[in-house]
Amino acid sequence: MSAVSPRKLSEPVAAAAPSHAARRARRSVDPVVLTLLPIIVIAVIVGAVVNPVFLTTTNIIDNIITTSAVLGVLVIAESLILIGGYFDLSLEATVGFAPMLLAVLVSSAADAGLGLPFWAGLLITIPAVLLIGLANGLMIAKMKLNAFIVTLAMLILLQGLTIGLSGGQTFAMLPKAMTYLGDGVILGLPVQAWIFVLAFAAAYVFMKFTPTGRSIYAMGGNLEAARAAGIRTTRLTIGVVVAGSLLAALAGLMLTGRIASVTANQGSGMIFTVFAAAVIGGISLNGGRGNLIGAGLGVILLGIIQNILTLSNVPSFWINAAYGAIILAALLIGWVSTQRFPGGRAAA
Amino acid sequence: MPEAIVVDQVSKAFGPTLALSAVSLTVNRGESRALIGKNGAGKSTLMSILTGLSQPDSGSVQVLAEGDAGGASAVGCVYQRSTLIPAATAAENIALARFPRSRAGLIRWPEVRRQATELLAEWEYADLAGTPVEQLEPLERKVVEICRVLSQGPRVLLLDEPTAGLDRGASQRLFGHIERARARGVTIIYVSHHLHEVFEVCDSVTVLRDGRAVLTEQLTRMTVPDLVDAMVGEAAATAGGGLRAARPESARPPVLVASGVTAPKVNGVDLALRPGECVGLTGLDGAGHMQLAEVLTGQRPAEAGTVTLDGRPLPLGDIRGCIEAGIGFTPEDRHTSGYVPALSVAENATLNIMPRFANGFRLISGKKRDAFYSRLAGEWNIKAYGAAQPTEELSGGNQQKVVLARSVAADPKVLVLVNPTAGVDVSAKNSIYTTIEALRADGQAVLIVTTDDADLEVCDRVVVMVHGEVSAELRHPFTEGMIAAAVQGGGTTEPDLLPSGEEDSQ
Ligand SMILES: Nc1ncnc2c1ncn2[C@@H]1O[C@H](COP(=O)(O)OP(=O)(O)OP(=O)(O)O)[C@@H](O)[C@H]1O
Ligand SMILES: [Mg+2]
């Protein structure tokens, strides 16, 4: 590089920014995080007022964090794909399919399973999940088919396979290894809480500080420019979609562990909440913008709201309506905040 | 003469950047005003305020007095960045917003097609009407954009760097259209970094420097150096010149050898670049020089032929492979495929060398990257408020500089620059030429693919393509006239020149 030093025209760096440092400081905090934190604080206050149980450690750790963990892992998966400029509807079907396949393989013959050892079950389930991601990825990246229709078809296919595999029954006699992700405890905290926190931290660091992570942002932000900069976009897309499938399978196992059984409709309908959390968290549906901290806060906000709704005894028939209304409200507040700080779009 | 455009004390800030500060100017009806200034001076910002696309923070603008039936269609603007709809055809883009309708209110598609074909025919692009814009070459897109604006018969015409990326023929045609518009009394504001164009097209000039209007004058009283001084400031260094001296021919064996390269629009081209050599590659639109450049840089696979770098075959069609082998390049259309809008300038400038900033944990160290970036920014004079500014917020020319800086950041052995100086200001132009000079002194080979005569000036030799084949090769001293003749396929004025680049292919 040293040789490449054109002499600058002898001209002072003109009228540089006046409040340089101030601007930098304000910028370094993501506007989405700035908006979400106060909303979360308000939600916590509301929760505490509504029900004194809300602020207890048990409620926060066992209910809010733990029940958010499955959603959280799925949101990470979807966020990676969204930031890369695509999306994947079939994740929710993988949430049901992977544990069902595993359950069928490892349940004893008496429970309508094949009675394979747990490791053998994993040895079949993991490649199956990889295959799902690979199929999606190849169709999206290589054949340039539309991600919506490809993953919608995959969603329907996998849901069908799950029902077919189950033979219409629920698998509840699962080996201990399979439910560990649901009831395990490490250092006094549930495994699910650990996964939630560590997965978000790891995903954040990966996306923010590794060349691969930044390449995903570049690809989602401008595919052509990323290609021209030497990023192998086809490979990267396939990689991201496969990673998404693996994470969805992990989320599925966590869910199975928590409820200690696999039903044929596990995961169905979750994808909408996943999208809602990602968007509330500032992940752009157009790719290339948003970060995993914001997405994590989005998940926590939804978890808190769900928890408050449950604690305040909202009749279960109304919970979904309340939930939907609150998601809309969160989106509107996010919109107001981007109007307030001009240029305050989620940074990459 | 009544005023057509009155800008009164207009200011506009983007965060800490004062893009315009108390700018006032008036343009009379039928006047053609040049608006010039360095990259980031505020030209595009002023244009977008004039079209109403953005609002000034303070001050006022008036375009065409009241009762003058102002309104959208009376003002036409060719923006610096493409405003076309990629998936729609050229014809639909041209007709957009004022579709010919049948009595039932339905669009008359044959008429849309006919009108567009007619307009495009004036530019010899009649056959493009039915093609989706995303499949067009950058030059063709620009023509479509210009056609759209001209077809609306505007009474005020705003042109923001319309000739950036146009070739000589298309520029001349544009000037013809501008001339005719002026004859009809259309008021024009013309933004360009090509100062000689300004003398051809305009009556008067306003110079912006750092958001302030520093000079307004009739062009008859100005010279190019005067304009440069006003743009750059009093202490301006004189632009250009000095690089021209013919240099002894490099005797070293070629570093890049292309033989028999065949691709769409390219028929079996041979080309060789020696270390320390700067070669120009030019031709009319469609002559295949752009496509050849795309093959050499891995952006397009070759149907036949080979390219070797240092004796090793280049993985054609594999951009990453070519970059790793030692090719550096800038994409032709830098606005659409040059940079990632949401990413910071530092990231964009180092997108191809990210692993270099990895620390012990294989994580990117932002500090290392920003330090590297600030050196690039200094060398290339990139005007941004810091390494973290999103690239989408930079002025058009500064975005280009980011992309250019990236192409040399990886220390390429061979640098392929497509229209390197399109859209950048005089001082950036000089840093580009100085950079090319430095690369050359360092033993790197540079291929400049361009339609700009000033770019070809700095080359040791110029390879001219016509209809997909190398038709001539010019060595210093050559003149603009000789190049103009050669690109037309008219042969060279010097008979002793070889008809093709074959002497170089081994
Ligand atoms: N949306 C934006 N956000 C932040 N800053 C901006 C934005 N648009 C323009 N700017 C800043 O305003 C200044 C003027 O930009 P403008 O695009 O008007 O320059 P220009 O004279 O057209 O330059 P060029 O010749 O490079 O096109 C630049 O410093 C630019 O970084
Ligand atoms: Mg501009």
Side-chain angles (χ1 to χ4, degrees), chain B residues 14 17 19 37-46 80-81 160-161 193 383 389 392-398 423:
Chain B
F14 294 102
T17 315
K38 294 195 348 168
N39 293 135
K43 305 178 295 293
S44 298
T45 307
L46 184 57
Q80 189 174 8
R81 282 161 238 189
D160 196 351
E161 296 186 32
H193 290 297
K383 191 179 163 197
Q389 184 167 20
E392 60 198 340
E393 293 180 2
L394 263 56
S395 82
N398 280 298

Side-chain angles (χ1 to χ4, degrees), chain B residues 123-188:
Chain B
W123 300 74
E124 289 163 28
Y125 283 118
D127 50 332
L128 294 186
T131 316
V133 162
E134 60 200 350
Q135 290 170 19
L136 298 182
E137 306 288 327
L139 185 158
E140 297 163 346
R141 273 182 229 168
K142 196 90 203 184
V143 169
V144 171
E145 198 133 12
I146 293 170
C147 280
R148 164 157 84 189
V149 170
L150 290 175
S151 75
Q152 294 163 357
R155 311 234 319 281
V156 170
L157 188 55
L158 309 175
L159 301 163
D160 196 351
E161 296 186 32
T163 55
L166 289 191
D167 63 7
R168 206 174 290 105
S171 300
Q172 286 306 330
R173 259 171 247 140
L174 174 66
F175 298 156
H177 279 282
I178 294 178
E179 208 48 57
R180 264 167 276 152
R182 279 171 73 179
R184 287 199 309 269
V186 172
T187 310
I188 293 167

Side-chain angles (χ1 to χ4, degrees), chain A residues 274-287:
Chain A
V274 170
F275 271 94
V279 170
I280 289 173
I283 304 286
S284 164
L285 293 182
N286 299 323

